[in-house]
Amino acid sequence: MRRFARVALLCLGCGVCSLLYGFSQLALSLEQEPGGGRERQARDPAAPGARAAAGSAGRGEAEAGRCKNVSVSFWNSYWMLPSDVCGKNCFWEAAFRYNYMKTHPSEKMHLAVVACGERLEETVTMLRSAIIFSIKPLQFHIFAEDQLHESFKNILDGFTSEKVNYTLYPITFPTESAAEWKKLFKPCASQRLFLPLILKNVDSLLYVDTDVLFLRPVDDIWSFLEKFNSTQIAAMAPEHEEPRIGWYNRFARHPYYGVTGINSGVMLMNMTRIRRKYFKNDMTPVRLQWGEILMPLLKKYKLNITWGDQDLLNIMFFHNPESLYVFPCQWNYRPDHCIYGSNCKEAEEEGIFILHGNRGVYHDDKQPTFRAVYEAIKNYSFGEDLVHSLLQPLELELQKTTHTYCGRVYKVFVKQLTKSIRDLYARRSKGR
């Protein structure tokens, strides 16, 4: 009897393996067919066209159309689609796309920044820091005031290449509420909220403020996308590590994420998931999509928010905490992590990965440690030796800042930078 059970179990296992093999062969055959899954264009299932199709008389045709138009991919797999999406064809498409994503990883990393006023030099310095160490090609999405476009073009044309491309965009807000969004916090700051709606063909995006500097490859923070679970749509770092000096937990007059809130200066987004998600909220029992929830949130809380769009993001993720992936403080290291004493343990152990010089510290003498890093990267010329032209001069300047709290831990500012330079030269040696 036991032998019979074992044989039956073995046969069942072989049958399952055969079925999976059949799926994979079918997926490969789809790849070879004209107009197969690779050529399909992703579209938001909540788009007007999709809603109209869903309500048409020809239900079978509408479902088939929706099946084709729903973005089935590694990030939006068959089993995560809404329950009313048709089953069979979507399953085949999911099988193909998953296989394709595994064998053909995304070649470009998309990075967005919003620049207004006197932020040209700061933005260019940030872009330079991204270029120095990154491995995979970069696509920059630069949202800037019209008067800055020509200056950006003149500078960026000088150091773009096959691995670096850029696109310039005007600052745009929804027409009916543009004035309100423009005056929220700082000019143009709220533009980041609308990136999922503007960059409709971009699946994933890293947004950073202009005052950010990369001390290790962008590839490394980009890899967090692979760590998202099935519900997470974005990743950010906490606003504070130490609640005793936290702003949100002491002063906020609105809901915020976690114990000390989140900082949106470095924000990694799966935009496909953001566009698809229906968000819980405290305004209506009905869940709202990204484009539907922004203006009602602003109307409800505009008298209670201090940090503008960042506060709105905190409110959204307070109600949808399962949607956020939180990465450690060394990925968004700010003056608050050292001006009152060092409170980012991860940076003490591994160094700073991404430096965020908010409070204008790159341009005054209040935090000379931050300014020294900024000046070193700004003055570095591509092609020069990174050790002699960047690292060594920076270490000499940092040693002059030990009279400040941040200066006392200046080694965390160069620990990861030193490793990034060593790794870069090692990659170049292997490539010869």
Side-chain angles (χ1 to χ4, degrees):
M1 188 68 184
R2 288 183 179 178
R3 289 182 180 179
F4 178 78
R6 289 174 182 172
V7 171
L9 186 60
L10 180 60
C11 293
L12 180 61
C14 292
V16 171
C17 291
S18 299
L19 186 61
L20 291 175
Y21 178 76
F23 287 165
S24 67
Q25 293 304 304
L26 181 57
L28 290 173
S29 68
L30 285 174
E31 182 177 4
Q32 296 170 354
E33 292 176 7
R38 187 182 304 185
E39 301 297 328
R40 296 177 183 172
Q41 296 296 317
R43 190 180 75 180
D44 186 349
R51 290 177 179 173
S56 66
R59 179 175 177 82
E61 181 180 351
E63 287 183 347
R66 185 176 185 192
C67 180
K68 292 179 181 177
N69 290 323
V70 171
S71 177
V72 184
S73 67
F74 178 78
W75 300 115
N76 190 18
S77 50
Y78 164 75
W79 48 87
M80 290 172 53
L81 292 173
S83 58
D84 58 336
V85 171
C86 58
K88 190 169 82 171
N89 292 335
C90 282
F91 184 82
W92 306 137
E93 183 181 354
F96 162 72
R97 295 225 180 177
Y98 184 83
N99 178 69
Y100 183 78
M101 284 294 292
K102 283 292 187 183
T103 56
H104 297 75
S106 177
E107 294 184 353
K108 280 189 177 181
M109 300 178 292
H110 293 262
L111 188 150
V113 64
V114 179
C116 287
E118 303 297 321
R119 299 284 182 151
L120 174 66
E121 178 193 89
E122 196 172 80
T123 305
V124 171
T125 303
M126 180 276 293
L127 298 175
R128 288 165 58 84
S129 74
I131 294 171
I132 291 173
F133 299 113
S134 293
I135 304 168
K136 288 191 292 188
L138 286 163
Q139 175 67 49
F140 296 137
H141 301 272
I142 303 168
F143 292 79
E145 292 173 308
D146 294 343
Q147 64 268 26
L148 295 178
H149 281 217
E150 191 64 27
S151 297
F152 269 118
K153 189 176 186 303
N154 291 337
I155 296 171
L156 295 178
D157 283 347
F159 57 76
T160 50
S161 65
E162 293 181 359
K163 293 192 65 174
V164 180
N165 289 290
Y166 72 91
T167 306
L168 287 166
Y169 305 83
I171 300 296
T172 53
F173 295 106
T175 306
E176 67 279 3
S177 55
E180 285 195 72
W181 290 112
K182 285 180 181 178
K183 66 183 180 182
L184 181 65
F185 191 46
K186 295 179 180 178
C188 305
S190 301
Q191 182 73 80
R192 82 183 87 178
L193 294 177
F194 299 95
L195 297 181
L197 307 178
I198 298 172
L199 302 176
K200 294 181 180 179
N201 295 322
V202 177
D203 176 70
S204 296
L205 183 76
L206 175 63
Y207 165 85
V208 295
D209 285 347
T210 61
D211 50 9
V212 157
L213 294 171
F214 293 92
L215 304 184
R216 68 183 292 171
V218 175
D219 307 64
D220 294 330
I221 189 169
W222 190 259
S223 68
F224 278 120
L225 289 166
E226 300 174 4
K227 298 182 180 180
F228 284 12
N229 64 28
S230 62
T231 66
Q232 290 166 337
I233 64 173
M236 284 178 268
E239 174 69 12
H240 289 281
E241 300 301 307
E242 176 50 66
R244 288 177 295 178
I245 61 173
W247 193 91
Y248 282 108
N249 55 290
R250 293 189 297 160
F251 306 116
R253 296 179 294 164
H254 58 79
Y256 56 88
Y257 179 88
V259 178
T260 60
I262 47 175
N263 183 279
S264 59
V266 179
M267 180 165 56
L268 183 64
M269 295 178 281
N270 182 321
M271 305 238 282
T272 299
R273 289 186 175 184
I274 288 176
R275 288 186 286 262
R276 189 187 69 213
K277 183 175 175 60
Y278 288 82
F279 292 84
K280 294 173 285 188
N281 60 88
D282 59 358
M283 299 169 292
T284 169
V286 177
R287 298 191 180 196
L288 302 175
Q289 288 192 287
W290 189 269
E292 301 168 328
I293 200 172
L294 296 175
M295 195 62 208
L297 269 183
L298 177 60
K299 287 183 177 179
K300 177 171 182 177
Y301 288 104
K302 63 181 179 180
L303 298 179
N304 295 329
I305 57 178
T306 303
W307 307 114
D309 50 302
Q310 177 173 290
D311 290 347
L312 296 182
L313 289 168
N314 266 280
I315 296 168
M316 292 174 73
F317 286 107
F318 169 83
H319 293 291
N320 301 270
E322 74 287 349
S323 297
L324 187 67
Y325 180 98
V326 180
F327 48 70
C329 51
Q330 77 266 44
W331 293 99
N332 187 352
Y333 190 94
R334 286 161 279 121
D336 300 275
H337 290 122
C338 59
I339 58 176
Y340 306 114
S342 180
N343 59 61
C344 178
K345 293 181 180 179
E346 290 85 353
E348 293 173 14
E349 295 171 359
E350 302 177 275
I352 298 168
F353 298 166
I354 295 179
L355 191 68
H356 185 181
N358 62 342
R359 302 173 182 255
V361 293
Y362 293 152
H363 311 293
D364 58 33
D365 296 321
K366 294 181 180 178
Q367 298 301 328
T369 315
F370 282 78
R371 182 167 186 171
V373 180
Y374 175 80
E375 293 290 335
I377 294 176
K378 184 187 74 172
N379 296 329
Y380 171 75
S381 297
F382 290 118
E384 292 182 347
D385 181 79
L386 284 160
V387 175
H388 295 97
S389 299
L390 176 60
L391 184 59
Q392 290 179 354
L394 173 58
E395 289 181 313
L396 292 175
E397 288 300 315
L398 291 175
Q399 289 170 15
K400 301 175 184 178
T401 69
T402 54
H403 61 285
T404 66
Y405 280 115
C406 293
R408 292 177 187 177
V409 293
Y410 77 86
K411 290 185 178 180
V412 305
F413 288 77
V414 293
K415 181 180 291 188
Q416 183 59 43
L417 185 61
T418 302
K419 182 179 184 301
S420 296
I421 293 173
R422 184 174 62 247
D423 292 346
L424 175 61
Y425 284 144
R427 288 196 303 271
R428 289 179 179 176
S429 298
K430 289 180 181 179
R432 289 173 184 170

